[in-house]
PDB file of all heavy atoms in Angstrom:
ATOM      1  N   ILE S 164      68.328 104.561 144.240  1.00 98.00           N
ATOM      2  CA  ILE S 164      68.148 103.737 142.975  1.00 98.00           C
ATOM      3  C   ILE S 164      69.030 104.103 141.786  1.00 98.00           C
ATOM      4  O   ILE S 164      68.956 103.561 140.731  1.00 98.00           O
ATOM      5  CB  ILE S 164      66.679 103.781 142.511  1.00 98.00           C
ATOM      6  CG1 ILE S 164      66.202 105.242 142.284  1.00 98.00           C
ATOM      7  CG2 ILE S 164      65.740 103.092 143.563  1.00 98.00           C
ATOM      8  CD1 ILE S 164      64.803 105.393 141.763  1.00 98.00           C
ATOM      9  N   GLY S 165      69.859 105.202 142.017  1.00 98.00           N
ATOM     10  CA  GLY S 165      70.748 105.646 140.915  1.00 98.00           C
ATOM     11  C   GLY S 165      71.514 106.841 141.403  1.00 98.00           C
ATOM     12  O   GLY S 165      71.314 107.377 142.451  1.00 98.00           O
ATOM     13  N   GLY S 166      72.542 107.179 140.609  1.00 98.00           N
ATOM     14  CA  GLY S 166      73.347 108.365 140.916  1.00 98.00           C
ATOM     15  C   GLY S 166      74.632 108.368 140.092  1.00 98.00           C
ATOM     16  O   GLY S 166      74.907 107.477 139.249  1.00 98.00           O
ATOM     17  N   LEU S 167      75.366 109.426 140.315  1.00 98.00           N
ATOM     18  CA  LEU S 167      76.630 109.664 139.655  1.00 98.00           C
ATOM     19  C   LEU S 167      77.500 110.502 140.547  1.00 98.00           C
ATOM     20  O   LEU S 167      77.143 111.058 141.533  1.00 98.00           O
ATOM     21  CB  LEU S 167      76.430 110.323 138.396  1.00 98.00           C
ATOM     22  CG  LEU S 167      75.684 111.708 138.315  1.00 98.00           C
ATOM     23  CD1 LEU S 167      76.551 112.850 138.698  1.00 98.00           C
ATOM     24  CD2 LEU S 167      75.072 111.978 136.965  1.00 98.00           C
ATOM     25  N   TYR S 168      78.887 110.495 140.122  1.00 98.00           N
ATOM     26  CA  TYR S 168      79.833 111.242 140.937  1.00 98.00           C
ATOM     27  C   TYR S 168      80.912 111.725 140.072  1.00 98.00           C
ATOM     28  O   TYR S 168      81.081 111.259 138.868  1.00 98.00           O
ATOM     29  CB  TYR S 168      80.465 110.391 142.115  1.00 98.00           C
ATOM     30  CG  TYR S 168      81.523 109.491 141.708  1.00 98.00           C
ATOM     31  CD1 TYR S 168      82.868 109.846 141.876  1.00 98.00           C
ATOM     32  CD2 TYR S 168      81.232 108.262 141.263  1.00 98.00           C
ATOM     33  CE1 TYR S 168      83.873 108.944 141.426  1.00 98.00           C
ATOM     34  CE2 TYR S 168      82.132 107.308 140.919  1.00 98.00           C
ATOM     35  CZ  TYR S 168      83.520 107.695 140.994  1.00 98.00           C
ATOM     36  OH  TYR S 168      84.475 106.882 140.619  1.00 98.00           O
ATOM     37  N   GLY S 169      81.616 112.705 140.422  1.00 98.00           N
ATOM     38  CA  GLY S 169      82.692 113.399 139.681  1.00 98.00           C
ATOM     39  C   GLY S 169      83.283 114.545 140.445  1.00 98.00           C
ATOM     40  O   GLY S 169      82.956 114.792 141.610  1.00 98.00           O
ATOM     41  N   LEU S 170      84.163 115.325 139.724  1.00 97.00           N
ATOM     42  CA  LEU S 170      84.838 116.460 140.223  1.00 97.00           C
ATOM     43  C   LEU S 170      84.457 117.761 139.648  1.00 97.00           C
ATOM     44  O   LEU S 170      84.294 117.803 138.390  1.00 97.00           O
ATOM     45  CB  LEU S 170      86.336 116.296 140.137  1.00 97.00           C
ATOM     46  CG  LEU S 170      87.060 115.314 141.037  1.00 97.00           C
ATOM     47  CD1 LEU S 170      86.760 113.948 140.725  1.00 97.00           C
ATOM     48  CD2 LEU S 170      88.608 115.596 140.905  1.00 97.00           C
ATOM     49  N   LYS S 171      84.260 118.851 140.464  1.00 96.00           N
ATOM     50  CA  LYS S 171      84.070 120.171 139.879  1.00 96.00           C
ATOM     51  C   LYS S 171      85.264 120.982 140.147  1.00 96.00           C
ATOM     52  O   LYS S 171      85.697 121.242 141.342  1.00 96.00           O
ATOM     53  CB  LYS S 171      82.803 120.795 140.473  1.00 96.00           C
ATOM     54  CG  LYS S 171      82.506 122.194 139.843  1.00 96.00           C
ATOM     55  CD  LYS S 171      81.143 122.632 140.178  1.00 96.00           C
ATOM     56  CE  LYS S 171      81.002 123.258 141.510  1.00 96.00           C
ATOM     57  NZ  LYS S 171      81.825 124.625 141.631  1.00 96.00           N
ATOM     58  N   VAL S 172      85.935 121.533 139.176  1.00 94.00           N
ATOM     59  CA  VAL S 172      86.980 122.433 139.280  1.00 94.00           C
ATOM     60  C   VAL S 172      86.719 123.674 138.451  1.00 94.00           C
ATOM     61  O   VAL S 172      86.730 123.613 137.196  1.00 94.00           O
ATOM     62  CB  VAL S 172      88.395 121.742 138.805  1.00 94.00           C
ATOM     63  CG1 VAL S 172      89.553 122.820 139.125  1.00 94.00           C
ATOM     64  CG2 VAL S 172      88.661 120.574 139.613  1.00 94.00           C
ATOM     65  N   GLY S 173      86.538 124.764 139.070  1.00 93.00           N
ATOM     66  CA  GLY S 173      86.140 125.968 138.343  1.00 93.00           C
ATOM     67  C   GLY S 173      84.783 125.823 137.676  1.00 93.00           C
ATOM     68  O   GLY S 173      83.789 125.392 138.317  1.00 93.00           O
ATOM     69  N   SER S 174      84.697 126.015 136.407  1.00 95.00           N
ATOM     70  CA  SER S 174      83.495 125.824 135.581  1.00 95.00           C
ATOM     71  C   SER S 174      83.467 124.599 134.701  1.00 95.00           C
ATOM     72  O   SER S 174      82.784 124.541 133.731  1.00 95.00           O
ATOM     73  CB  SER S 174      83.259 127.103 134.772  1.00 95.00           C
ATOM     74  OG  SER S 174      84.285 127.235 133.949  1.00 95.00           O
TER      75      SER S 174
END
Side-chain angles (χ1 to χ4, degrees):
I164 57 173
L167 55 79
Y168 78 97
L170 282 69
K171 182 169 79 69
V172 182
S174 62

